[in-house]
Amino acid sequence: MLKRDDYLTLIEEIRNTDKKSLDEYIEKVLEPLRSENRNFIEILYKDIHYLLNDLQKEDDLVIENGDLVIEDGDLKLTGYESRLRSLSIWLHIEICNKFIETHPLTFTEELENFEENYLNKSDYTPEFKSKLDALRRSIKKEKKLNSGEKETFWQKLWDLDNIELKPNVAGVGVNLNNFFNKFR
C-alpha cells in the first residue's frame, strides 16, 4: 500500500522522465502499482489535477482549416505541454474507461459526481497540501521559464515567497536568501 508521500515521489519521477519514455514508465511502474493499490489511479489523478489546475485554463483543441490537428499521434492542445499533463490525460481516460465498464448507462452522471465529490474537493492534510503547493510553484516557474515569460522588477519584489513566518513578535519576516536569488 502506497503512502501519500509516495505519490509525490512518483509525480517528481514523472516530471523528470523524458516525454518519449512516458509510455514505458506507465507500463513498467504505474501499471504494477495500479494492480497493488485499489484507488491508485484516482488518487494520482486527483494530485496531478490539483497541481495543474491553474496551468490548464488556456487548454483547448487546436483546429486549423476546420480540422483537428494531430501531432505525434495525439490530438494537439493549446497551452503548456508537460509530462504531467500528458499523464493526466491518460489517467482521465482510465477513469472514464472504469466508469464505462461499471456504469455504461449513467456514465456522464458518474463522471460528474466523481469530479464534484472527489476531484474538486481539497481534502488534503495541511502538511501534504504545503508539499503540493511547493511543487505547484515549481511547475509554474518551469512554465514561465519554458514559455519565455519574464518577471518584472515589481513582481519579483512583491512575490509571496519572499515573506515567511518567523517566531518573533510580529510573526512575519523577510526571506533574504529568496529575495537575493530572484535578482541574480
Side-chain angles (χ1 to χ4, degrees), residues 68-90:
L68 294 173
V69 177
I70 296 177
E71 182 178 78
D72 298 329
D74 295 323
L75 291 174
K76 186 175 180 181
L77 300 173
T78 62
Y80 179 62
E81 291 288 331
S82 69
R83 288 169 288 287
L84 287 178
R85 182 177 173 209
S86 299
L87 183 67
S88 73
I89 293 170
W90 178 79

Side-chain angles (χ1 to χ4, degrees), residues 92 95-101 103-113:
H92 183 77
I95 288 172
C96 287
N97 287 338
K98 177 183 174 185
F99 286 136
I100 288 172
E101 289 174 7
H103 307 285
L105 299 176
T106 59
F107 164 71
T108 56
E109 292 87 13
E110 292 292 326
L111 190 58
E112 288 175 6
N113 185 29

Side-chain angles (χ1 to χ4, degrees), residues 80 141-151:
Y80 179 62
K141 287 181 183 178
E142 176 185 307
K143 178 188 174 196
K144 282 184 179 180
L145 287 174
N146 289 339
S147 65
E149 296 176 23
K150 302 257 182 183
E151 287 184 327

Side-chain angles (χ1 to χ4, degrees), residues 131-146:
K131 291 176 184 177
L132 278 174
D133 287 338
L135 188 56
R136 180 190 239 176
R137 284 190 299 270
S138 73
I139 291 172
K140 284 184 179 182
K141 287 181 183 178
E142 176 185 307
K143 178 188 174 196
K144 282 184 179 180
L145 287 174
N146 289 339

